Amino acid sequence: MGPTLSEVNDSPAVPSGALPTGLRAELIAFRRDLSRRPATGRPDSHDAAAAAAAVLARLEQDGLRPRALPGGTGIVCDIGATDPARPRLALHSDIDAVLLGAALALAALEREGRLPRPVRLILQPADEAAPGGALGAIEAEVLAGVGRILAVHGDPDTDTGRIGLRQGPITAAVGRLVLKLDGAGGHSARPHLTTDLVMATAKMATELPAVLARRMDPRSGVRVVWDRIEAGHACNVIPQHAELEGTVRCLDLAAWNDAPDLVHEVIDQVAGMYRAKCEIRYQRVVPPVVNEVESTELLREAMTLSRGAHAVEDTGQSLGCADFAWYLEQVPGALARLGLRPVDGSPRHGVHPGESEDAEDPVVIGAELLAGAALLV
């Protein structure tokens, strides 16, 4: 373990962001309390509001001046005076104990006059509710005066004690697709007199993924995954209405931009074959998270100083998504995958560090990582 914040001296050496023992214990207790009222993807949920209120109160208790974002469940808080010569480094998280730990550590350094750069904390709710809470935060000007933004997100496929990094795209672009088909139903003994929506729905579900796989560059990794299909209520009645809902995931931005036109073309063709009327709702949810090189290396250096070079591993691009991508369309930055996989073979954690009772190590490691990155000049 590296030196605690109280042991960091003023030498030219770059300090790590290691948390003092007392702060680690408080952070673990705070995390356990938050886990009993987790922030959901709904920005207006009672649990999200309660979690945000707890974080806000603790920041104020430490002498900071956080402010609530529109909607009441997001928080933005500056540490250190504004310096026109040095844009702020933004640290991003959803409503959890990771960013709180980094905030309290950096606030302690600021009081001692040893914070090398002004920092902005962005605790953002609804990171998984399409199109994500990031757009609302950006509209609230949380990136004003920010020169770089860093984030961590839990990864159950990376060992606890390690982080995964990748220069360039690290997540996928995602679109949401909802299809509603209507037509003349009827008795299954006379399918020729109906619009056979069950058959049309089945054809739609199989044909769209197959055509996209053949008509788009396979290197773009386009995938259609259906999550909901509904049609019919009786074994001998062809229904008048059917619905399909799913996601379209792409590994690159070009495919994300090109996919909607092809999706509409294929759906219209299949619907026409069965004389079905089809309503198409295609929403481009988020672009890919594209890690900027310098920001990625900043996270790598911070983790190396905190835990050693072995604690950093190269990671691949996933088909998951994160609305952190919207921030990276405005300023350079990077996202690190925070390891949640228990090294003892016990059951995996969820994708958020507070989703199990034994998730204390990831919470502390994430806080140290973000605090340490803020200390690198």
Side-chain angles (χ1 to χ4, degrees):
M1 193 72 179
T4 64
L5 291 177
S6 61
E7 294 169 343
V8 172
N9 57 36
D10 295 316
S11 69
V14 178
S16 78
L19 305 183
T21 302
L23 179 53
R24 289 166 59 97
E26 179 189 0
L27 192 60
I28 289 171
F30 193 88
R31 200 284 306 164
R32 290 178 176 175
D33 180 61
L34 285 186
S35 71
R36 290 190 286 270
R37 48 182 179 185
T40 67
R42 290 171 41 228
D44 60 342
S45 75
H46 173 74
D47 290 336
V55 173
L56 188 76
R58 184 60 185 90
L59 292 174
E60 290 177 336
Q61 180 184 338
D62 207 55
L64 297 171
R65 296 181 177 179
R67 62 181 176 88
L69 292 172
T73 56
I75 299 170
V76 61
C77 182
D78 288 344
I79 302 176
T82 299
D83 182 356
R86 288 186 66 81
R88 288 187 183 274
L89 172 68
L91 304 178
H92 170 275
S93 175
D94 55 5
I95 303 298
D96 62 23
V98 170
L99 197 47
L100 176 63
L104 297 179
L106 294 174
L109 283 177
E110 168 62 16
R111 288 192 293 270
E112 297 170 4
R114 292 191 286 163
L115 186 65
R117 67 177 74 196
V119 174
R120 174 165 297 156
L121 312 171
I122 303 173
L123 292 93
Q124 177 223 306
D127 63 318
E128 295 176 350
L135 291 177
I138 292 170
E139 289 178 2
E141 299 185 346
V142 298
L143 293 180
V146 168
R148 188 180 307 278
I149 185 168
L150 304 175
V152 295
H153 197 281
D155 181 16
D157 294 321
T158 300
D159 286 346
T160 297
R162 309 183 76 183
I163 62 169
L165 290 176
R166 174 185 170 89
Q167 295 179 4
I170 191 171
T171 68
V174 175
R176 181 186 177 193
L177 181 60
V178 179
L179 307 181
K180 296 183 178 181
L181 287 76
D182 290 285
H187 199 282
S188 62
R190 296 179 290 276
H192 58 291
L193 300 180
T194 72
T195 299
D196 193 343
L197 290 187
V198 174
M199 184 62 73
T201 301
K203 190 70 171 178
M204 201 82 73
T206 57
E207 195 70 12
L208 181 60
V211 172
L212 289 181
R214 294 297 182 270
R215 298 262 311 262
M216 300 192 74
D217 189 331
R219 293 171 296 182
S220 66
V222 178
R223 294 290 184 274
V224 177
V225 179
W226 299 111
D227 304 299
R228 183 177 66 87
I229 298 178
E230 295 183 13
H233 301 285
C235 69
N236 62 344
V237 179
I238 294 174
Q240 297 177 332
H241 182 76
E243 295 187 9
L244 299 88
E245 186 171 3
T247 56
V248 181
R249 299 177 184 270
C250 318
L251 293 180
D252 63 63
L253 189 59
W256 188 58
N257 289 326
D258 294 341
D261 289 342
L262 184 53
V263 166
H264 278 74
E265 177 187 337
V266 174
I267 291 172
D268 286 340
Q269 289 177 356
V270 175
M273 291 170 55
Y274 291 88
R275 303 191 302 265
K277 295 179 180 179
C278 186
E279 176 188 334
I280 306 171
R281 292 190 315 188
Y282 190 110
Q283 177 187 20
R284 286 189 291 187
V285 179
V286 291
V289 172
V290 182
N291 281 350
E292 184 249 354
V293 173
E294 186 175 342
S295 300
T296 305
E297 295 311 303
L298 181 63
L299 288 167
R300 185 185 304 275
E301 184 177 357
M303 190 64 173
T304 299
L305 287 168
S306 177
R307 298 274 168 164
H310 68 280
V312 182
E313 64 180 51
D314 293 329
T315 189
Q317 183 181 4
S318 79
L319 282 172
C321 67
D323 72 345
F324 183 68
W326 294 119
Y327 294 102
L328 300 188
E329 290 201 335
Q330 307 294 321
V331 296
L335 178 147
R337 290 193 176 128
L338 179 63
L340 300 180
R341 181 171 58 196
V343 296
D344 60 1
S346 57
R348 293 184 178 191
H349 303 152
V351 295
H352 294 97
E355 289 182 351
S356 72
E357 282 301 314
D358 58 345
E360 279 78 27
D361 281 348
V363 168
V364 172
I365 291 167
E368 290 180 349
L369 172 63
L370 293 178
L375 301 182
L376 296 173
V377 180

